[in-house]
Amino acid sequence: SCPDSEKASEIVRRLNHFCLDKGITFVSATGESEKKAREKLSKKKRATPSGAFRTMTPFDLPCGECLVAPAEITRKDDSPICRVCDSKIKAVNDRKWDAKLFEYSDQNAFIMDLKDDLDEKQNRIAVVYMDGNRLGSMIKPDAPDYKKKSFANLVNSITEYSVGEAYREHLRSLRNSKGKIFFRPLLIGGDDIIAIMEPSKALDFCLTVCDKFNQESRKSGHEFFDNKGLTISGGIVIVNKGYPLW
C-alpha cells in the first residue's frame, strides 16, 4: 500500500525488473483502474486464438525480448514473446545474405554459436554497431514514394558494399581450429550494421566501412548527396563471450 502514485509506479518498475524472467509481473492499480484492467484482460483472453500465449497472472506479461510489448505467443521453451520480436528473430535465423555480399561457402562458416563455434582460448568478442549520419534529414517527409524508395535502395546497396569490402579485407581469412570465421552479421540493412567479430580486427573493420561508405556514396552522384558524400559512425563493445550484454 502506497498513497504516492509516482512512488508506487517506481516500486512496481523495480519489482518487474527482477521478477519478469520468473514469470511474475506486478502492476500499480486501485479501485476503478484495477477493475478496468481486469475487464480488459478478460476480453483479451476471450479473443485470444487457440495456442496463443495466455497469461498466468491477473495482468499481461511483457515480451521476454523487448520487455515493452505484451506477449502474444510462446516459444518452444515456453518463454513469452510478442509477434514483432518473434518475426524479427525468425528473419535473422532464416537470413541468407546475397552472394555478392558474402560467398555462400563463407556464410556456412560464420560463428553461429558462441559456445560451440569458438575455440576455448577465444574468450572475448567484439560487438559492432554502425549507423549512417543524418540520413533522415536528406529527404523530405513529403517527397514522392519513388524518390524515397530510390534513396533507401541506394543507401542499402552502399551499406552492403562497404561491409562486404571490410569483411573481405580484415575478417575472411580468420578461421579458427574449427574452421569457423570469427564473424557473425546480425543486421545489415538500410544504413544500420550490427555484427559480432574478432576484437583485434573490429576497429580496422569499422574504419574501412567508414571509408568505403563515403567513397561509394560520392561515386553514386545521387541528387540527395553533396560532394562530401555520406558518412557513418560506429561503436565497438568488447565483452567476455559468456557475459550478458545490454
Side-chain angles (χ1 to χ4, degrees):
S1 176
C2 180
D4 188 332
S5 59
E6 290 187 4
K7 188 174 182 180
S9 297
E10 177 62 19
I11 292 172
V12 167
R13 188 189 68 79
R14 293 186 181 185
L15 286 170
N16 281 329
H17 176 75
F18 293 104
C19 298
L20 284 175
D21 61 341
K22 299 177 176 61
I24 302 171
T25 187
F26 294 85
V27 295
S28 174
T30 58
E32 287 300 313
S33 297
E34 182 178 4
K35 183 179 178 181
K36 289 180 180 179
R38 290 181 182 276
E39 289 175 353
K40 182 180 178 181
L41 177 65
S42 297
K43 289 180 180 179
K44 184 173 182 179
K45 280 186 174 181
R46 289 195 293 272
T48 301
S50 177
F53 176 72
R54 295 178 182 275
T55 58
M56 301 302 292
T57 62
F59 301 95
D60 292 341
L61 284 173
C63 169
E65 292 292 329
C66 65
L67 298 179
V68 177
E72 299 170 282
I73 55 179
T74 53
R75 289 181 284 191
K76 292 181 179 180
D77 61 356
D78 292 330
S79 59
I81 188 172
C82 69
R83 295 188 184 279
V84 173
C85 287
D86 184 57
S87 63
K88 287 182 179 179
I89 291 173
K90 287 179 179 178
V92 170
N93 291 338
D94 296 340
R95 174 67 157 139
K96 276 291 185 182
W97 307 101
D98 192 296
K100 289 180 288 186
L101 180 57
F102 307 119
E103 294 295 333
Y104 290 136
S105 58
D106 288 355
Q107 294 180 44
N108 293 330
F110 286 161
I111 296 293
M112 301 300 290
D113 189 299
L114 296 180
K115 182 180 179 181
D116 296 333
D117 292 345
L118 290 178
D119 291 335
E120 291 184 6
K121 62 180 181 180
Q122 294 174 319
N123 293 319
R124 295 185 181 276
I125 61 172
V127 182
V128 168
Y129 172 70
M130 304 188 76
D131 184 48
N133 297 325
R134 302 182 65 185
L135 265 64
S137 63
M138 292 184 179
I139 187 166
K140 295 180 179 179
D142 57 352
D145 287 344
Y146 77 90
K147 282 195 173 184
K148 291 180 180 178
K149 186 174 182 180
S150 172
F151 179 79
N153 289 339
L154 180 58
V155 171
N156 186 73
S157 65
I158 291 172
T159 299
E160 291 192 345
Y161 168 80
S162 303
V163 171
E165 290 295 295
Y167 160 75
R168 282 183 279 275
E169 185 173 337
H170 302 293
L171 297 166
R172 191 178 187 184
S173 61
L174 295 179
R175 290 182 182 254
N176 61 19
S177 63
K178 299 181 180 181
K180 295 292 183 177
I181 301 172
F182 200 159
F183 180 66
R184 170 72 191 277
L186 300 176
L187 171 64
I188 302 173
D191 63 331
D192 294 308
I193 302 165
I194 305 176
I196 294 172
M197 65 187 66
E198 160 63 47
S200 66
K201 297 295 183 179
L203 183 57
D204 290 335
F205 175 89
C206 290
L207 290 174
T208 298
V209 168
C210 289
D211 289 340
K212 298 296 183 182
F213 194 82
N214 181 256
Q215 292 171 15
E216 197 66 11
S217 63
R218 282 192 283 110
K219 286 195 305 184
S220 70
H222 196 281
E223 61 180 296
F224 292 106
F225 307 157
D226 57 25
N227 293 330
K228 295 181 180 179
L230 298 177
T231 59
I232 188 169
S233 301
I236 303 169
V237 176
I238 297 177
V239 64
N240 188 294
K241 66 181 181 182
Y243 290 175
L245 177 65
W246 294 88

